[in-house]
């Protein structure tokens, strides 16, 4: 098998599989995806996944948040009350289980009753004392985050600080109680923890335990606030003056480091000759520099300021800060002050006219400084990515186990077979993969490679193998490869590749995990760089499972705002599980009821609609001055494109067709033309195609389609002709099935074992995503009316019963010179069906032209005067 070369690794990432010696167990049959035995072996989901689903429901989060806030308030009141009435309630709490609850409750003096007294007795009396007040604070912060979706303070950091404060306050109170000999109040103020701890330390160190308590606070401050050194301020006069100036009320709070940096900058300004420059107010997380008039020893100058103009700061300091912090710095434009103007009189300066600039109503730098970068994921801020627990963990799956004795025996058989035909080899090495073992041989000098390739069947006979594949030579290796199927194959589970570091840390735009190579490395490819994928394989060889693996990879890595899927399933049963993702990841026509497209007529309309979407996106890219979708979205994220001009964040669109042969048989050219057009042009604007078929014959995969699919993937096929059709070379007919496949990318051929994902795992994944809050509807593609919806209904149009908004729609079409149903929908705020009837009536009245596929209809009336004459003629009839 061909090993991946340097060029093939540009779009893929691999990682060796560490555990090769795990115990082998029988692998389930891939063809029986939803069979009973495999379903019984599947372990049930753990409680963690159930809790994740419960928390993903916003109602659950809101209920739990309010409950935590109420409990925190109740606990706080109970703890405060116990500190004043605790001694009186101790006897009641002690006898609460031996006396009737009614009598015990009436005797309780705690403000929250018997329950409050009991809980406060545990936390205040027995544990933390006054430090127990930190516990309701933690509960309140957690409830506030769950209820309102934001944090008063960082929850994890505040929890750590409050827990330490609870323990440390108990210790300090215990020390004070022992020092003042007020042991009778020890249980209320210091709790059992602080009292017993101080008693133990006092017996060991006496009153020196105060040093231990103080040192514990010091340790917490050092590690919690990351204090690395202690710098004492200088007491010299200039430093003291600078310190007083830095404490001016006009200066905002800053960190210790930024404070010291500002002091150093002020000292340098006093030592050097001051130069009049424009003051740049800089607003960053840890730096704020503001010029104060009393510090600069120059004559004050009052330049003329245009408040409506803002420019990007081009100084070196703002550029460095913008690159390191990602914050764009802006200042108000001021007239520069030169050395000559510094010596001039103020009256002369004020008389100088300021340069006038035309204000820009859409200043992207000002927007970024005000609102920050645009984040498309804020449309669904509570969206939770799928968890790994949704996928089955096959702990006892069989590993590819080939013993050393078997490897040695196979090497000897290969050497013997080649020697019998007069071929000598210098060395032979083996690499064990999940499906096959690769034997790399180095032939002796003078041996012809074609002679070894002709012995393929003889070597398979000597090894008693199902079928071998000879790669002669291996690209870039200087060896000849012989792939021998393993007797005990490894099942590559979907969870094992999803949880791998190579997939989790992938930075690809559209990462898809395709499986494991012969060297047990996980192969991850970027669908955006392929840019389209053509899949083929005989029935039952893993083609549908491969599509499920591809969809699972994309759903695990992308947010619904970043990816939209168009699923075409002529079989009507393979992709129906993804119906639940309609309001998250799916895209469809506005008038379509089913999110998964199964009808051939709707497939044609959808493909033409994608062509319209492609043209619209290219127009947006042209207006924005961008070459591809990534540059366009980056520009939009930086708020450099005006949404009022039609610009918007564009998600990736992936079109998946499960069975192309059926569509080609029923629709033919109507399907081939839009697919070829999308394959030729759509990659730059983020529309990518994944097309699968059972038999890759030339009448299904035509030359027009094949030329625009550089990445091709083939499972086992029935004949060598099919292998050459899909891969342009043989080898696919020698695969062993059940996910064994060949990937042709950049003229390289890589053998992979496709991961296995069960139907139950797809159901759990779709339930997890579908139960979350989504968009109001699926992503709407541009409307497209085919021949059946356009010219075919012209005879049924009755112009005597025109729509009440016919005249207004006609004027709108003539003014914009655009015959589009979507234009009528947007401007007149009508539904799709009514807008479609209006466009049919306008066509019957010869105001717009006939339907022309993906192109917009021609407007036959050029000005409003001719339109008014046409409308009068229609009314006269």
């Amino acid at each position: 098998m061909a090993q991946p070369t340097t060029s093939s690794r540009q779009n893929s990432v691999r990682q060796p599989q560490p555990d090769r010696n795990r115990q082998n167990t029988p692998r389930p049959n891939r063809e029986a995806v939803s069979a009973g035995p495999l379903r019984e072996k599947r372990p049930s989901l753990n409680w963690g996944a159930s809790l994740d689903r419960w928390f993903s429901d916003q109602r659950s989060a809101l209920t739990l948040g309010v409950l935590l806030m109420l409990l925190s308030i109740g606990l706080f009141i109970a703890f405060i009350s116990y500190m004043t009435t605790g001694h009186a309630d101790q006897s009641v709490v002690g006898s609460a289980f031996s006396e009737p609850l009614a009598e015990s409750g009436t005797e309780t003096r705690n403000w929250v009753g018997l329950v409050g007294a009991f809980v406060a007795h545990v936390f205040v009396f027995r544990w933390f004392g006054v430090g127990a007040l930190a516990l309701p604070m933690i509960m309140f912060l957690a409830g506030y985050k769950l209820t309102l979706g934001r944090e008063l303070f960082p929850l994890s950091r505040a929890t750590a600080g409050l827990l330490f404060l609870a323990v440390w306050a108990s210790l300090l109170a215990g020390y004070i109680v022992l020092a003042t000999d007020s042991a009778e109040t020890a249980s209320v103020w210091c709790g059992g923890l602080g009292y017993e701890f101080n008693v133990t330390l006092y017996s060991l160190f006496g009153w020196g335990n105060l040093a231990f308590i103080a040192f514990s606070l010091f340790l917490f401050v050092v590690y919690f606030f990351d204090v690395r050194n202690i710098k004492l301020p200088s007491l010299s006069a200039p430093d003291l003056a600078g310190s007083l100036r830095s404490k001016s009320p006009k200066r905002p709070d800053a960190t210790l480091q930024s404070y010291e940096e500002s002091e150093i900058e002020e000292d340098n300004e006093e030592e050097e000759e001051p130069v009049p420059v424009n003051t740049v107010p800089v607003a960053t997380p840890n730096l704020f520099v503001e010029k104060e008039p009393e510090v600069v020893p120059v004559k004050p100058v009052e330049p003329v300021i245009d408040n409506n103009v803002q420019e990007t700061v081009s100084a070196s300091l703002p550029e460095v800060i913008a690159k390191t912090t990602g914050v764009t710095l802006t200042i108000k434009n001021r007239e520069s002050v030169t050395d000559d103007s510094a010596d001039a009189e103020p009256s002369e300066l004020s008389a100088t006219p300021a340069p006038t600039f035309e204000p820009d109503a859409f200043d992207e730098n000002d927007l970024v400084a005000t609102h920050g970068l645009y984040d498309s994921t804020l449309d669904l801020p509570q969206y939770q990515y799928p968890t790994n627990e949704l996928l089955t963990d096959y702990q006892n799956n069989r590993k590819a186990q080939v013993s050393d004795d078997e490897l040695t025996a196979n090497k000897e058989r290969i050497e013997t077979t080649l020697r019998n035909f007069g071929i000598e080899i210098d060395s032979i090495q083996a690499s064990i993969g999940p499906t096959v073992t690769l034997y790399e041989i180095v032939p002796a000098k003078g041996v012809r490679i074609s002679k070894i390739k002709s012995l393929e069947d003889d070597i398979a006979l000597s090894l008693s193998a199902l079928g071998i594949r000879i790669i002669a030579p291996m690209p870039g290796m200087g060896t000849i490869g012989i792939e021998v199927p393993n007797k005990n194959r490894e099942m590559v589970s979907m969870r094992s590749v999803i949880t791998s570091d190579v997939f989790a840390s992938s930075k690809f735009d559209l990462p898809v995990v395709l499986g494991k190579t012969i060297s047990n490395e996980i192969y991850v490819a970027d669908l955006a760089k392929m840019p389209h994928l053509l899949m083929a394989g005989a029935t039952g060889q893993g083609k549908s499972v491969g599509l499920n693996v591809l969809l699972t990879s994309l759903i695990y890595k992308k947010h619904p705002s970043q990816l939209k899927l168009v699923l075409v399933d002529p079989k009507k049963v393979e992709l129906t599980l993804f119906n639940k993702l309609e309001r998250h990841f799916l895209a469809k026509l506005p008038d379509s009821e089913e999110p998964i497209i199964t009808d051939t007529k709707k497939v044609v309309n959808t493909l033409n609609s994608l062509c319209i979407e492609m043209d619209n996106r290219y127009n947006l890219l042209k207006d924005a001055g961008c070459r591809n979708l990534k540059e366009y979205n980056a520009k939009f994220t930086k708020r450099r494109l005006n949404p009022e001009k039609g610009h918007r964040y564009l998600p990736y669109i992936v079109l998946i067709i499960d069975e192309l042969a059926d569509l080609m048989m029923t629709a033919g050219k109507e399907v081939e033309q839009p697919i070829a057009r999308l394959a030729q042009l759509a990659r730059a604007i983020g529309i990518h195609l994944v097309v699968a078929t059972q038999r890759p014959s030339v009448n299904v995969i035509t030359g027009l389609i094949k030329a625009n699919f550089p990445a091709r993937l083939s499972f086992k096929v029935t004949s060598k002709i099919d292998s050459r059709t899909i891969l342009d070379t043989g080898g696919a007919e020698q695969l062993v099935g059940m996910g064994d496949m060949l990937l042709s990318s950049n003229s390289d051929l890589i053998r992979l074992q496709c991961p296995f994902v069960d139907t139950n795992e797809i159901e759990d994944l779709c339930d997890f995503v579908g139960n979350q809050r989504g968009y109001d509807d699926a992503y709407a593609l541009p409307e497209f009316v085919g021949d059946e919806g356009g010219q075919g209904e012209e005879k049924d149009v009755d112009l005597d019963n025109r729509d009440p908004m016919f005249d207004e729609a006609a004027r709108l079409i003539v003014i914009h010179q655009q015959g589009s149903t979507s234009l009528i929908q947007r401007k007149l705020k009508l539904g799709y069906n009514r807008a479609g009837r209006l466009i049919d009536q306008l066509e019957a009245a010869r105001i717009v032209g006939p339907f022309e596929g993906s192109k917009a209809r021609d407007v036959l009336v050029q000005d409003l005067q001719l339109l008014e004459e046409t409308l009068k003629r229609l009314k006269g009839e």
Side-chain angles (χ1 to χ4, degrees):
M1 191 206 80
Q3 290 294 331
T5 62
T6 304
S7 61
S8 66
R9 295 184 182 182
Q10 293 177 357
N11 299 331
S12 62
V13 182
R14 299 159 184 192
Q15 173 179 327
Q17 188 71 11
D19 188 6
R20 296 187 178 181
N21 300 321
R22 199 160 51 179
Q23 185 65 27
N24 292 339
T25 55
R27 179 186 183 280
N29 186 6
R30 180 177 292 274
E31 295 180 355
V33 175
S34 59
L38 183 58
R39 188 182 293 271
E40 294 175 359
K41 291 182 180 180
R42 179 182 180 272
S44 60
L45 294 175
N46 55 23
W47 285 100
S50 301
L51 289 177
D52 290 340
R53 295 184 187 179
W54 190 83
F55 277 109
S56 63
D57 191 348
Q58 288 189 339
R59 297 171 298 178
S60 304
L62 179 62
T63 304
L64 182 59
V66 174
L67 178 61
L68 286 177
M69 294 175 69
L70 292 177
L71 289 177
S72 65
I73 296 174
L75 286 180
F76 189 86
I77 297 175
F79 291 173
I80 294 294
S81 177
Y82 188 85
M83 292 177 185
T84 58
T85 63
H87 294 288
D89 289 340
Q90 289 181 7
S91 59
V92 177
V93 173
S95 60
F97 297 97
S98 60
E99 295 182 1
L101 293 177
E103 298 180 4
S104 301
T106 55
E107 297 176 1
T108 304
R109 299 178 58 185
N110 193 286
W111 297 338
V112 193
L114 181 60
V115 175
F118 183 83
V119 175
H121 180 76
V122 174
F123 286 95
V124 178
F125 181 83
R126 294 185 178 179
W127 288 357
F128 303 108
V130 69
L133 295 175
L135 301 179
M137 297 180 184
I138 297 175
M139 294 179 62
F140 185 85
L141 292 177
Y144 187 89
K145 180 179 180 181
L146 288 174
T147 303
L148 301 180
R150 57 178 182 269
E151 298 178 342
L152 287 174
F153 305 99
L155 183 59
S156 58
R157 189 171 178 84
T159 302
L162 289 173
L163 288 178
F164 173 82
L165 183 62
V167 177
W168 189 82
S170 176
L171 298 181
L172 182 62
Y175 178 86
I176 297 175
V177 166
L178 288 180
T180 56
D181 294 331
S182 56
E184 64 276 7
T185 61
S187 58
V188 176
W189 296 105
C190 64
L193 176 65
Y195 186 81
E196 295 297 333
F197 190 85
N198 278 276
V199 169
T200 303
L201 288 182
Y202 181 79
S203 63
L204 295 175
F205 306 105
W207 297 113
N209 58 352
L210 180 61
F212 179 87
I213 298 174
F215 183 74
S216 64
L217 178 62
F218 174 78
L219 283 179
F220 174 78
V221 171
V222 168
Y223 285 94
F224 190 78
F225 296 99
D226 196 19
V227 179
R228 300 184 180 273
N229 50 34
I230 300 177
K231 294 183 179 180
L232 296 177
S234 176
L235 298 180
S236 60
D239 293 339
L240 183 58
S243 176
L244 293 177
R245 287 195 301 269
S246 65
K247 296 180 180 179
S248 174
K250 296 181 180 180
R251 181 186 181 94
D253 295 333
T255 59
L256 178 62
Q257 181 179 359
S258 60
Y259 176 81
E260 294 171 354
E261 292 175 356
S262 63
E263 292 294 324
I264 295 174
E265 292 174 359
E266 290 176 1
D267 293 342
N268 294 335
E269 290 177 359
E270 292 180 1
E271 294 173 1
E272 299 177 358
E273 183 68 19
V275 179
V277 295
N278 288 338
T279 302
V280 181
V282 182
T284 63
N286 292 323
L287 181 62
F288 188 92
V289 181
E290 182 177 357
K291 180 180 176 182
E292 301 184 31
E294 65 274 16
V295 177
V296 181
V298 295
K299 181 183 297 184
V301 179
E302 188 66 22
V304 180
I305 301 175
D306 188 356
N307 295 326
N308 296 325
V309 180
Q310 291 189 350
E311 296 179 345
T312 305
V313 180
S314 59
S316 59
L317 176 61
E319 290 178 353
V320 173
I321 295 176
K323 292 180 180 178
T324 55
T325 63
V327 178
T328 305
L329 308 180
T330 60
I331 63 170
K332 293 186 177 181
N333 181 46
R334 298 188 180 185
E335 183 180 2
S336 59
V337 181
T338 60
D339 295 338
D340 296 336
S341 62
D343 298 332
E345 293 296 329
S347 58
E348 298 176 358
L349 288 176
S350 59
T352 302
T356 58
F357 298 90
E358 183 179 357
D360 187 2
F362 192 76
D363 192 343
E364 66 276 3
N365 295 323
D366 189 22
L367 290 176
V368 171
T370 306
H371 304 287
L373 298 176
Y374 175 79
D375 187 3
S376 62
T377 61
L378 293 181
D379 293 340
L380 297 178
Q382 303 298 329
Y383 176 77
Q384 299 292 329
Y385 286 86
T387 60
N388 298 330
E389 287 75 12
L390 298 173
L391 302 176
T392 304
D393 186 10
Y394 295 95
Q395 295 286 350
N396 299 321
N397 62 327
R398 184 191 340 227
K399 297 287 291 184
Q401 189 177 47
V402 181
S403 62
D404 295 337
D405 296 338
E406 183 178 353
L407 289 176
T408 303
N410 288 340
K411 291 179 182 179
E412 293 177 353
R413 292 191 187 100
I414 293 174
E415 292 178 357
T416 303
T417 303
L418 295 176
R419 193 177 295 112
N420 292 338
F421 290 93
I423 299 175
E424 297 293 336
I425 61 175
D426 293 339
S427 64
I428 181 170
Q429 296 180 351
S431 300
I432 302 175
T435 306
V436 297
T437 299
L438 175 65
Y439 295 89
E440 297 184 50
I441 63 175
V442 178
K445 296 182 178 179
V447 177
R448 300 186 63 176
I449 296 178
S450 59
K451 192 174 182 180
I452 297 178
K453 295 181 66 175
S454 63
L455 300 177
E456 191 172 64
D457 295 335
D458 300 284
I459 298 175
L461 178 63
S462 65
L463 296 176
S464 300
L466 297 175
I468 67 172
R469 177 171 169 263
I470 295 181
I471 311 168
M474 296 187 65
M477 301 294 292
T479 59
I480 297 176
I482 301 176
E483 295 176 351
V484 180
N486 298 328
K487 295 181 180 179
N488 299 323
R489 297 177 54 183
E490 173 189 354
M491 185 190 72
V492 181
S493 64
M494 190 65 193
R495 179 166 179 171
S496 65
V497 295
I498 287 292
T499 56
S500 62
D501 293 337
V502 64
F503 181 76
S505 60
S506 173
K507 301 300 182 184
F508 290 154
D509 295 329
L510 292 176
V512 291
V513 57
L514 297 180
K516 283 187 178 181
T517 63
I518 289 181
S519 56
N520 275 306
E521 296 176 347
I522 297 176
Y523 190 93
V524 180
D526 189 0
L527 183 59
K529 296 292 182 61
M530 285 186 174
H532 310 294
L533 179 62
L534 189 61
M535 300 176 62
T539 303
Q541 301 304 320
K543 191 169 64 280
S544 297
V545 175
L547 290 177
N548 290 336
V549 168
L550 187 143
L551 288 171
T552 302
S553 304
L554 294 176
I555 293 173
Y556 262 88
K557 290 292 288 186
K558 305 303 291 185
H559 191 272
S561 64
Q562 302 168 348
L563 172 68
K564 298 301 174 184
L565 303 172
V566 180
L567 304 182
V568 178
D569 183 17
K571 299 179 183 178
K572 302 182 180 180
V573 294
E574 294 292 345
L575 301 178
T576 53
L577 295 177
F578 295 94
N579 275 326
K580 300 176 183 178
L581 306 181
E582 177 180 1
R583 296 184 300 110
H584 295 83
F585 286 100
L586 298 189
K588 64 178 184 179
L589 292 174
D591 61 335
S592 178
E593 298 178 358
E594 296 293 333
I596 308 297
I597 306 166
T598 57
D599 188 7
T600 304
K601 296 180 181 178
K602 291 185 178 180
V603 172
V604 176
N605 291 343
T606 301
L607 293 177
N608 286 283
S609 176
L610 284 175
C611 292
I612 299 175
E613 175 74 12
M614 177 184 68
D615 295 335
N616 294 339
R617 289 191 173 198
Y618 268 118
N619 290 332
L620 292 177
L621 262 65
K622 182 188 68 174
D623 296 339
C626 300
R627 298 181 59 187
N628 52 55
L629 181 74
K630 196 170 184 179
E631 294 179 3
Y632 179 86
N633 284 338
K635 211 168 185 178
F636 188 85
T637 301
K638 296 177 182 178
R639 302 185 185 275
R640 298 172 60 186
L641 300 176
N642 193 346
E644 296 180 357
K645 297 181 179 180
H647 293 289
R648 66 186 189 278
Y649 186 87
L650 300 178
Y652 285 94
I653 297 178
V654 178
L655 169 65
I656 296 181
I657 301 177
D658 187 23
E659 185 52 65
L660 179 63
D662 183 75
L663 298 179
M664 295 296 291
M665 291 175 60
T666 56
K669 293 295 183 180
E670 295 180 2
V671 172
E672 179 186 0
Q673 291 180 357
I675 289 180
R677 190 162 183 261
L678 289 172
Q680 290 171 351
L681 302 175
R683 67 179 182 88
I685 43 86
I687 299 179
H688 305 278
L689 280 64
V690 179
V691 179
T693 182
Q694 288 185 358
R695 187 175 185 274
S697 58
V698 292
N699 59 342
V700 175
I701 304 177
T702 62
L704 190 60
I705 294 178
K706 184 178 177 181
N708 296 285
F709 283 81
R712 303 167 196 167
L713 191 149
S714 176
F715 295 89
K716 185 177 181 180
V717 294
T718 56
S719 65
K720 195 170 186 178
I721 298 177
D722 292 344
S723 177
R724 290 186 178 275
T725 303
I726 182 68
L727 299 176
D728 293 331
T729 185
E733 76 282 357
Q734 297 173 337
L735 300 176
V736 295
M738 291 187 295
D740 190 18
M741 60 185 182
L742 290 174
L743 174 66
S744 174
S745 178
N746 297 325
S747 301
D748 296 327
L749 206 60
I750 305 171
R751 190 166 186 173
L752 301 169
Q753 174 62 42
C754 181
F756 175 71
V757 56
D758 196 2
T759 305
N760 296 331
E761 301 174 63
I762 299 297
E763 290 178 351
D764 295 338
L765 173 63
C766 295
D767 288 339
F768 180 86
V769 176
N771 291 334
Q772 300 186 48
R773 179 183 177 183
Y775 297 99
D776 296 335
D777 199 0
Y779 184 84
L781 297 175
E783 62 90 14
F784 179 85
V785 181
D787 292 338
E788 291 78 7
Q791 295 177 354
E793 296 181 359
E794 183 176 357
K795 298 179 180 179
D796 299 330
V797 176
D798 185 9
L799 292 180
D800 294 334
N801 297 324
R802 296 187 300 274
D803 192 278
M805 302 190 72
F806 177 84
D807 294 354
E808 187 174 357
R811 295 186 182 97
L812 180 67
I813 291 295
V814 172
I815 290 175
H816 290 82
Q817 288 294 305
Q818 180 182 354
S820 173
T821 307
S822 60
L823 177 65
I824 298 177
Q825 285 183 267
R826 293 194 310 270
K827 297 297 184 180
L828 301 183
K829 298 180 181 180
L830 301 179
Y832 175 82
N833 295 330
R834 187 176 181 182
R837 289 192 298 269
L838 277 171
I839 206 72
D840 293 339
Q841 294 175 2
L842 291 172
E843 180 185 353
R846 300 194 59 79
I847 296 176
V848 298
F851 173 78
E852 296 181 2
S854 60
K855 298 181 180 179
R857 294 172 182 261
D858 294 332
V859 181
L860 305 180
V861 180
Q862 302 301 324
D863 54 27
L864 292 176
Q865 183 177 359
L866 293 177
L867 175 63
E868 295 298 334
E869 295 177 0
T870 303
L871 295 178
K872 290 179 181 179
R873 186 173 64 253
L874 291 175
K875 294 178 181 179
E877 295 177 357

